[in-house]
């Protein structure tokens, strides 16, 4: 077999292998045992993978994505040129196979795990029932801010904040069967300015097992964002489940910063859902916020106004498509968190 035919055979082989992978993972995602295997694989290797990377002072995940982008661009350029096209396409096919296999094995299949809330508990949300909930979290936020009066919310020690999140995550992991010994790795993203203009608060990198966050975020966002991203690190793949876990971390914590950030997020999410049916109520609610809370709201609003644009709209759109492709509601609706919160209130017998 000559060199030309060998290359054609290899390209067909790797293209066929990718299709085979796609169908195998698809079929496994439909079986409880298949998904459970990957859950166990994630839990069994979580601490090892995090331990290898966490002591590196910069975000290896960011560096990996940069190098990967350069690598793929080079391959695309080479594939355009006639002399290098065949080998470049072969290398591209091999790379796609490897990346797809690693991603699906270590992360992608977790999107199909059993949800925290069964579908029979999900019903149409009554907007009127959300209003007392908004008032409840408003009062919680007021109490917390009065106990720590300042013109704007600030984080005293990021090191102490991370230590508290890690301690709470150990409890969460044990409670939800995510392993008895877990580790977390939080890194400030190298692309903080890019993240600000794309509306990305943080992200979990399944290849490096790191949680990256945007250090330019308003302080009110930071504790909740760190909790959210580390929730991914212990195996909660769905965005809204990670949000709920971040909320539980804040609620159970004695840290003012974590608790306030969690309750503040809950309040804003409730108001957003109310606004879809009763915009006037949400607008009046925000206008009448106490001074300290209004300052926090204005700080967040200014941050987004300073960084808004077409780039942010594009990333919001692509993120929405990604979420929907993985059996999630999408970044626009995000109702699932509200369902989880309402169910949590019922179970705990909390005020509604």
């Amino acid at each position: 077999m000559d060199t030309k035919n060998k290359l054609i055979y290899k390209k067909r082989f790797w293209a066929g292998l990718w299709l085979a992978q796609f169908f195998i993972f698809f079929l496994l995602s439909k079986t409880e045992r298949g998904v459970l295997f990957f859950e166990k694989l994630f839990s069994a290797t979580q601490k090892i993978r995090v331990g290898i990377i966490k002591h590196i002072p910069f975000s290896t995940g960011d560096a990996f994505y940069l190098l990967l982008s350069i690598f793929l661009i080079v391959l695309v350029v080479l594939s355009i040129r006639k002399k290098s096209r065949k080998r470049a396409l072969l290398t591209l096919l091999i790379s796609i196979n490897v990346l797809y296999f690693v991603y699906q094995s270590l992360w992608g299949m977790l999107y199909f795990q059993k949800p925290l809330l069964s579908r029979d508990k999900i019903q149409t949300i009554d907007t009127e029932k959300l209003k007392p909930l908004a008032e409840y979290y408003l009062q919680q936020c007021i109490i917390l801010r009065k106990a720590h009066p300042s013109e704007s919310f600030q984080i005293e020690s990021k090191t102490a904040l991370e230590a508290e999140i890690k301690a709470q995550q150990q409890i969460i992991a044990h409670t939800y069967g995510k392993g008895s010994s877990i580790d977390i790795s939080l890194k400030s993203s190298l692309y903080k300015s890019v993240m600000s203009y794309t509306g990305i608060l943080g992200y979990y990198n399944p290849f490096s097992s790191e949680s990256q966050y945007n250090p330019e975020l308003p302080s009110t966002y930071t504790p909740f964002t760190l909790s959210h991203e580390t929730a991914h690190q212990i195996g909660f793949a769905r965005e809204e489940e990670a949000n709920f876990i971040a909320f539980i971390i804040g609620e159970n914590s004695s840290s003012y910063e974590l608790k306030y950030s969690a309750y503040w997020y809950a309040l804003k999410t409730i108001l957003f859902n109310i606004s879809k049916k009763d915009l006037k109520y949400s607008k009046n609610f925000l206008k009448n916020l106490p001074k300290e809370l209004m300052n926090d709201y204005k700080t967040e609003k200014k941050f987004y106004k300073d960084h808004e644009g077409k780039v942010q709209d594009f990333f919001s759109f692509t993120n929405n498509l990604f979420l929907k492709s993985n059996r999630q509601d999408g970044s626009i609706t995000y109702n699932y968190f509200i369902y989880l919160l309402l169910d949590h209130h019922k179970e705990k017998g909390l005020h509604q």
Side-chain angles (χ1 to χ4, degrees), residues 101-113:
F101 178 78
V102 173
Y103 172 78
Q104 290 288 53
S105 297
L106 296 180
W107 185 245
M109 291 296 289
L110 297 188
Y111 284 110
F112 302 97
Q113 60 191 322

Side-chain angles (χ1 to χ4, degrees), residues 28-253:
L28 287 171
S29 73
K30 300 294 184 180
T31 66
E32 188 176 335
R33 286 186 177 182
V35 176
L36 184 60
F37 169 80
F38 289 101
E39 284 185 64
K40 289 183 176 179
L41 177 65
F42 181 91
S43 297
T45 61
Q46 191 271 350
K47 191 170 184 178
I48 298 171
R49 289 182 287 117
V50 172
I52 294 171
I53 300 295
K54 67 177 295 184
H55 299 295
I56 298 174
F58 61 89
S59 171
T60 56
D62 283 353
F64 171 75
Y65 279 149
L66 175 62
L67 294 173
L68 179 62
S69 298
I70 294 171
F71 175 70
L72 292 176
I73 289 170
V74 170
L75 284 180
V76 170
V77 172
L78 290 174
S79 67
I80 295 172
R81 297 176 181 175
K82 191 174 181 179
K83 289 184 178 180
S84 55
R85 183 179 300 161
K86 292 177 182 179
R87 290 195 177 276
L89 288 174
L90 175 60
T91 304
L92 184 61
L93 284 170
I94 294 172
S95 301
I96 289 172
N97 269 274
V98 173
L99 291 170
Y100 184 76
F101 178 78
V102 173
Y103 172 78
Q104 290 288 53
S105 297
L106 296 180
W107 185 245
M109 291 296 289
L110 297 188
Y111 284 110
F112 302 97
Q113 60 191 322
K114 187 178 179 180
L116 292 179
L117 189 65
S118 59
R119 290 186 176 273
D120 61 343
K121 288 188 176 182
I122 296 178
Q123 300 174 353
T124 303
I125 295 175
D126 184 349
T127 301
E128 293 304 313
K129 287 186 177 180
L130 290 180
K131 292 177 181 179
L133 206 61
E135 295 291 342
Y136 171 77
Y137 282 108
L138 172 64
Q139 293 307 313
Q140 296 301 312
C141 288
I142 290 173
I143 292 169
L144 288 165
R145 286 296 268 126
K146 282 185 176 179
H148 299 80
S150 60
E151 186 172 343
S152 60
F153 177 86
Q154 297 295 331
I155 296 170
E156 293 182 9
S157 170
K158 185 172 159 295
T159 302
L161 179 64
E162 288 185 16
E164 174 62 12
I165 290 172
K166 183 175 180 179
Q168 290 297 327
Q169 290 289 27
Q170 297 286 345
I171 298 170
I172 291 290
H174 178 73
T175 302
Y176 288 91
K178 298 293 184 180
S180 57
S181 179
I182 60 104
D183 202 357
I184 62 174
S185 175
L186 282 165
K187 301 282 184 70
S188 173
S189 178
L190 301 174
Y191 313 128
K192 55 187 179 182
S193 295
V194 175
M195 293 177 80
S196 294
Y197 282 99
T198 55
I200 299 173
L201 308 183
Y203 77 94
Y204 169 73
N205 189 309
F207 299 101
S208 67
S209 300
E210 291 171 311
S211 290
Q212 277 77 204
Y213 70 95
N214 180 4
E216 292 185 349
L217 288 174
S219 296
T220 45
Y221 272 107
T222 302
F224 189 84
T225 299
L226 297 184
S227 300
H228 171 100
E229 298 309 331
T230 57
H232 286 318
Q233 271 189 306
I234 61 174
F236 293 95
R238 294 184 182 92
E239 286 299 304
E240 289 306 277
E241 291 187 348
N243 279 338
F244 180 68
I245 294 301
F247 169 81
I248 295 297
I249 286 171
E251 184 180 60
N252 292 342
S253 175

Side-chain angles (χ1 to χ4, degrees), residues 262-309:
Y263 285 169
W264 182 235
Y265 173 83
L267 175 60
K268 290 182 295 182
T269 306
I270 293 165
L271 288 175
F272 172 74
N273 276 269
I274 292 174
S275 70
K276 290 185 287 184
K277 294 286 182 67
D278 192 344
L279 182 59
K280 184 178 179 181
Y281 174 88
S282 294
K283 284 185 174 180
N284 288 334
F285 193 102
L286 290 170
K287 284 180 182 178
N288 293 303
L289 286 175
K291 181 182 176 181
E292 291 83 4
L293 270 64
M294 180 60 77
N295 288 340
D296 294 340
Y297 172 68
K298 286 180 177 179
T299 299
E300 293 180 359
K301 194 174 180 180
K302 183 179 183 301
F303 174 80
Y304 279 106
K305 189 173 182 180
D306 290 344
H307 297 93
E308 67 184 356

